[in-house]
Amino acid sequence: MNTYPTTALPDATATRPAQSLQDAPSALPLNPDRLWRRLEALSCFTRPDLPWTRRAFSPEFTAARAWLRDEFASAGLALRLDAAGNLIGRREGHVPGAPALVSGSHSDTVLQGGRFDGILGVVAALEVANALNDAGHTWHHPLEVVDFLAEEPTDQGVSCVGSRAQAGTLELSMLLATDVHGETLAQAIERIGGAPEHIVTAQREPGSVAAFVELHIEQGPVLEQEGLAIGTVTHIVGIHRVEITVTGRPDHAGTTPMYLRHDALAGAAAIITRARHRARALNQTDRYVVATVGRLAVEPNATNTVPGRVRMSLEVRSDDPQVLRTFVDELLQGAAAEMQRCRVSAAARTLTLTQPTRADERVVAAIEQAAHRHGHAQRRMPSGAGHDAAQLARIAPMGMVFIPCRSGRSHCAEEWSEPAQVLAGTQVLAATLQTLDQELAGSQAA
């Protein structure tokens, strides 16, 4: 069932070409076999016991980064690793001082994630650069391919680490956040070659990015259900990620009567249930709301001890800023009586808060025109997932291209897109960047 806001979904075949097909640049000579081989190779950097797992800062991630460096170099890109740990490959343009067209995504995964989330955008952008190199073409603008560090939530609870740094939104409190072993995010960044003490140097200067375009699987069922090849993203929902701590008292599980217990896990369960019901009640046809508790740390986590403390992650996603602002406070206020009955207390602290982000209309139009040029049916649609693109939108015109994924499944081993779907998305990405290169060069000349 489509849970997206229906008001954001006009006619699937509607396009608004940015230029006539006769004036469109010729298509780049993409290599479908190379594109698919790279996807397969990069996905295989995974924990063998937990496919497909390549957590940021892990040995699998480090090995994948080394492989990507070689692939970037083979595509003729000049390499650098910025202070935030973003891997960047650059192909110069022929207009001195022109801002860069940027494309890419991330190579890290969630635990037991999929084979396409993130890496599709990196490999597709790399294929565009490789095709330019193969053809000996140079655009007006430089092209940069970026593997952003840690788009998925790290063990320190921070997501979009690399893109936040480029947008100037990676705060000191995030760098000081720790994982369960006490390693800070700053220490983890340094461990993979970044320089957190110079993190400000990773921030993009205003005007240094002409546009950012990211290719991604939809991570939902809409495109597949409607038989469409391409989704043109109109906006990305906001995400409020908090840590809720429920504090009780550890006691002997056999000798403490039920009415005298201060059971933190019972209190946490009440909050989780209330969050689920509240999100379902707030979700409407014109407002998207989901809430998820995806991580629990129970202390002392022993079979024969009443839980004394629970730390849990709560993630609220919505395209309504008011929901993002009020959901957690109203949740805890509503749960106050249940906390009292459980003889526990609850407190929340914000880890990250990202507001809903709209795509740039010029980039949206370029994506639609690119899909039309290649004969791919498309529709406008929002994204219920977070992306590095939401951070880049703070400093540059942004757009996203979606392709279908089987049964809408993502963040799981069953995540899949067909080679033809991957090629279609890469064609649209390449054509979009070509169109923007010409349009923006014309605007600058005028």
Side-chain angles (χ1 to χ4, degrees), residues 18 30 34 82 96 130-131 136 267 280 326 360 362 406 417 419 439:
L30 301 176
R34 179 174 58 199
D82 71 13
N130 222 142
R280 293 187 66 173
T326 63
D360 180 82
R362 186 170 197 167
R406 183 186 294 166
S417 289
E439 285 188 357

Side-chain angles (χ1 to χ4, degrees), residues 273-309:
T273 301
R274 181 173 286 270
R276 172 181 171 84
H277 292 322
R278 179 163 182 77
R280 293 187 66 173
L282 289 172
N283 189 64
Q284 306 291 333
T285 56
D286 60 347
R287 181 175 60 197
Y288 184 73
V289 183
V290 293
T292 306
V293 172
R295 188 172 186 178
L296 291 172
V298 182
E299 300 173 15
N301 201 28
T303 303
N304 59 349
T305 304
V306 176
R309 186 168 77 155

Side-chain angles (χ1 to χ4, degrees), residues 326-348:
T326 63
F327 189 99
V328 176
D329 287 343
E330 292 179 358
L331 171 67
L332 294 185
Q333 290 169 9
E338 293 160 288
M339 297 303 98
Q340 188 173 10
R341 283 191 290 271
C342 292
R343 302 160 69 94
V344 300
S345 62

Side-chain angles (χ1 to χ4, degrees), residues 395-417:
I395 58 171
M398 175 276 289
M400 288 194 72
V401 181
F402 277 173
I403 64 169
C405 54
R406 183 186 294 166
S407 302
R409 301 292 306 283
S410 182
H411 282 192
C412 61
E414 293 76 20
E415 181 180 276
W416 183 260
S417 289

Side-chain angles (χ1 to χ4, degrees), residues 93-333:
H94 62 68
V95 177
L101 288 166
V102 181
S103 185
S105 193
H106 61 99
S107 61
D108 65 308
T109 72
V110 298
L111 194 68
Q112 293 183 281
R115 300 172 64 181
F116 297 84
D117 178 5
I119 70 169
L120 169 64
V122 177
V123 170
L126 178 58
E127 178 57 31
V128 174
N130 222 142
L132 279 170
N133 195 50
D134 291 345
H137 291 170
T138 300
W139 284 344
H140 300 280
H141 300 79
L143 173 65
E144 290 190 359
V145 179
V146 185
D147 174 27
F148 292 104
L149 178 66
E151 190 266 0
E152 304 292 1
T154 65
D155 290 341
Q156 292 84 5
V158 183
S159 61
C160 296
V161 173
S163 54
R164 285 180 188 276
Q166 289 203 356
T169 61
L170 188 64
E171 301 170 359
L172 178 60
S173 61
M174 299 175 186
L175 289 170
L176 296 178
T178 59
D179 63 14
V180 294
H181 303 293
E183 184 178 46
T184 66
L185 180 60
Q187 290 170 331
I189 292 172
E190 185 173 27
R191 181 159 53 80
I192 57 95
E197 69 276 16
H198 301 301
I199 205 79
V200 68
T201 64
Q203 185 173 343
R204 294 277 191 167
E205 292 295 325
S208 65
V209 177
F212 175 75
V213 188
E214 181 175 357
L215 175 63
H216 209 280
I217 58 171
E218 180 195 346
Q219 300 181 282
V222 176
L223 293 176
E224 183 182 65
Q225 287 183 358
E226 298 188 4
L228 301 175
I230 299 295
T232 302
V233 174
T234 56
H235 64 280
I236 301 170
V237 298
I239 304 175
H240 189 188
R241 189 172 290 127
V242 302
E243 180 183 76
I244 297 178
T245 301
V246 181
T247 304
R249 189 180 72 190
D251 283 302
H252 195 289
T255 62
T256 308
M258 298 300 291
Y259 69 94
L260 291 179
R261 295 185 178 207
H262 302 255
D263 190 334
L265 187 55
I271 290 174
I272 294 169
T273 301
R274 181 173 286 270
R276 172 181 171 84
H277 292 322
R278 179 163 182 77
R280 293 187 66 173
L282 289 172
N283 189 64
Q284 306 291 333
T285 56
D286 60 347
R287 181 175 60 197
Y288 184 73
V289 183
V290 293
T292 306
V293 172
R295 188 172 186 178
L296 291 172
V298 182
E299 300 173 15
N301 201 28
T303 303
N304 59 349
T305 304
V306 176
R309 186 168 77 155
V310 175
R311 289 191 303 164
M312 58 185 175
S313 66
L314 170 65
E315 185 183 86
V316 182
R317 301 187 183 217
S318 180
D319 54 5
D320 185 339
Q322 177 71 8
V323 170
L324 295 173
R325 199 164 41 243
T326 63
F327 189 99
V328 176
D329 287 343
E330 292 179 358
L331 171 67
L332 294 185
Q333 290 169 9

